[in-house]
């Protein structure tokens, strides 16, 4: 199983980035998928989650209205479109997959990507 994130980088405040997470080898049918981030010196937090039916089930209040999660099943790719970035969005962004299809906020996330760095300054 592989989850490979890409699209991170350094941007100025108010800039935009689109993160991608290409998955392969996941045998879960219709898994919950999500984006998480970890800022320096802070615990990892959930940013956005989609359930196995493609519904957005969670957006962190700090990013609501600025970030959009989506996925392309044909490409096995999860996206996070980020706009109006602020320095508080700086961190390593990870995508993850769960064997659950729903109740994604309670689900265990068994597969993780290596992360992609986002720096806003």
């Amino acid at each position: 199983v592989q989850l490979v994130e890409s699209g991170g980088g350094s941007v100025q405040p108010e800039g935009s980035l689109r993160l991608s997470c290409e998955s392969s080898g996941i045998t879960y049918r219709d898994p919950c998928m999500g984006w998480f981030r970890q800022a320096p010196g802070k615990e990892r937090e959930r940013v956005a989650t989609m359930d196995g039916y493609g519904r957005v089930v969670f957006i962190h209040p700090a990013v609501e209205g600025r970030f959009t999660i989506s996925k392309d099943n044909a490409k096995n790719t999860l996206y996070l479109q980020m706009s109006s970035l602020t320095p508080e969005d700086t961190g390593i962004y990870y995508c993850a997959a769960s064997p659950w299809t729903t109740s994604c906020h309670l689900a265990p996330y068994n597969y993780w990507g290596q992360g992609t760095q986002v720096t806003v300054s």
Side-chain angles (χ1 to χ4, degrees):
V1 174
Q2 276 195 316
L3 297 174
V4 181
E5 301 98 336
S6 62
S10 295
V11 295
Q12 294 182 343
E14 295 301 314
S16 298
L17 286 172
R18 187 177 80 155
L19 306 184
S20 300
C21 171
E22 185 173 356
S23 64
S24 60
I26 294 178
T27 58
Y28 305 149
R29 182 175 179 177
D30 302 326
C32 293
M33 300 285 294
W35 287 99
F36 299 75
R37 69 184 179 185
Q38 187 164 20
K42 295 186 178 180
E43 293 188 356
R44 186 170 58 196
E45 63 180 359
R46 187 189 310 260
V47 177
T49 305
M50 296 186 76
D51 70 10
Y53 299 115
R55 299 174 297 194
V56 179
V57 294
F58 177 80
I59 295 285
H60 194 291
V63 308
E64 193 164 13
R66 301 188 297 119
F67 290 14
T68 302
I69 185 173
S70 63
K71 64 180 178 179
D72 185 333
N73 289 329
K75 296 182 178 180
N76 292 324
T77 301
L78 183 74
Y79 300 100
L80 186 68
Q81 177 67 49
M82 307 185 295
S83 60
S84 302
L85 286 161
T86 73
E88 288 68 38
D89 296 316
T90 294
I92 301 174
Y93 284 69
Y94 301 90
C95 71
S98 168
W100 295 19
T101 297
T102 59
S103 300
C104 300
H105 61 293
L106 299 174
Y109 286 81
N110 296 348
Y111 296 123
W112 293 83
Q114 82 289 351
T116 186
Q117 176 71 45
V118 171
T119 302
V120 185
S121 64

